[in-house]
Amino acid sequence: MSEENLAEEHKVEAIKHRLTQSKEHSYLRDCVYGAIDGTVTTFAVVTGAAGAELPIRVALILGFANLIADGFSMAVGNYLGTRTEAEQLERARRIEEHHIDVIPEGEREEIRQIFAAKGLEGETLDEVVRVVTNDRQRWVTTMLTEEWGLRLEVPSPVRAAVSTFIAFFLAGLVPLIPLILFYRSIAHLPFLASVIASGFVFYLIGAIKGQMVGRSIWWSGLETFLLGGGAACLAFLVGLLLRGIGG
């Protein structure tokens, strides 16, 4: 971003608008990590089946079973984890409100020590303590963030779960599509096409992840490509080993 654009964004009115507008939680993180997991696990099933020289129909059965079951499991895990975070926030809020009602002076001292640790002292510290503790909501939220270390905006558990499942399913479907399209082709063509398609998706997801965190999209894409490829190679070797054991 240019210095001119930065200066525009940091004018008084622009700052006021940015800080007062409603903050919509982004579920892009849930989508990205759901997509990575979906591609890795489904592609691992495909390469494992290829290593064991299983028929394409078996690879498809295992792949779709994994796609639904593992996607649902990951979505449920995200739902429960996000809901637990929201419940923890509400529990901490009730505790702090109770403490303020029962031992307000003790809670004021906690506020004092919190801001003293940030370097405030004397009249400035006294004024900050007075301002914070004069507003009950501000007092509680300060304790939640400073003492408990909690974030005040928790995403919707349902939206987080749905975002995870959809991303998992759509990305995890990619390694299976070539098996369907080339079902009656020569033996190795469907698996080879699956490798190419999955490799592209790995790189694309990594590039998106890199864009999210401000990293080079090329290196982030390559990193995800190599990690996904590594998981697929391990699955292939396991399939190869089990095929040998089975004679």
Side-chain angles (χ1 to χ4, degrees):
M1 183 177 291
S2 67
E3 291 186 8
E4 182 179 348
N5 289 335
L6 281 174
E8 285 293 326
E9 287 194 357
H10 287 80
K11 289 184 177 179
V12 174
E13 289 302 319
I15 293 173
K16 181 179 179 181
H17 174 72
R18 186 168 64 250
L19 295 180
T20 55
Q21 65 182 354
S22 60
K23 296 177 176 61
E24 185 74 17
H25 179 80
S26 173
Y27 296 91
L28 185 58
R29 177 185 178 278
D30 301 286
C31 291
V32 168
Y33 289 104
I36 290 175
D37 196 59
T39 312
V40 168
T41 55
T42 308
F43 187 45
V45 169
V46 172
T47 53
E53 293 189 351
L54 297 176
I56 293 178
R57 60 183 178 83
V58 175
L60 283 171
I61 292 171
L62 295 176
F64 275 104
N66 169 84
L67 192 61
I68 300 301
D70 201 15
F72 179 78
S73 175
M74 188 175 181
V76 168
N78 199 4
Y79 171 83
L80 293 176
T82 306
R83 192 177 71 174
T84 299
E85 186 178 356
E87 291 172 346
Q88 182 185 21
L89 177 62
E90 287 308 309
R91 175 179 175 271
R93 188 183 299 277
R94 289 194 301 270
I95 290 174
E96 287 302 323
E97 288 178 345
H98 176 68
H99 287 179
I100 289 173
D101 289 334
V102 177
I103 46 172
E105 290 307 316
E107 290 297 302
R108 282 192 180 87
E109 180 58 26
E110 287 186 354
I111 291 292
R112 177 176 296 278
Q113 293 194 25
I114 286 171
F115 285 96
K118 296 178 182 293
L120 301 183
E121 57 186 16
E123 293 182 0
T124 302
L125 178 58
D126 292 339
E127 180 63 15
V128 169
V129 173
R130 185 190 65 79
V131 170
V132 171
T133 57
N134 273 353
D135 185 307
R136 183 183 179 86
Q137 182 177 356
R138 183 188 299 124
W139 193 349
V140 172
T141 55
T142 300
M143 297 304 295
L144 292 176
T145 56
E146 298 293 339
E147 182 182 16
W148 292 78
L150 299 175
R151 59 173 177 169
L152 301 177
E153 296 177 5
V154 179
S156 163
V158 173
R159 290 185 181 181
V162 170
S163 299
T164 299
F165 181 80
I166 291 176
F168 185 101
F169 182 85
L170 293 179
L173 192 62
V174 172
L176 301 177
I177 291 177
L179 302 188
I180 298 173
L181 294 177
F182 301 103
Y183 183 79
R184 299 188 181 280
S185 302
I186 58 176
H188 298 295
L189 180 59
F191 291 111
L192 178 60
S194 179
V195 169
I196 295 173
S198 300
F200 173 77
V201 171
F202 279 135
Y203 193 90
L204 180 62
I205 295 172
I208 294 174
K209 180 167 66 73
Q211 180 69 27
M212 286 174 56
V213 299
R215 291 181 56 193
S216 166
I217 60 174
W218 307 110
W219 283 111
S220 184
L222 180 61
E223 177 186 53
T224 307
F225 175 83
L226 293 176
L227 290 174
C233 289
L234 290 175
F236 181 84
L237 292 175
V238 170
L240 196 63
L241 177 63
L242 294 180
R243 182 190 67 185
I245 292 175

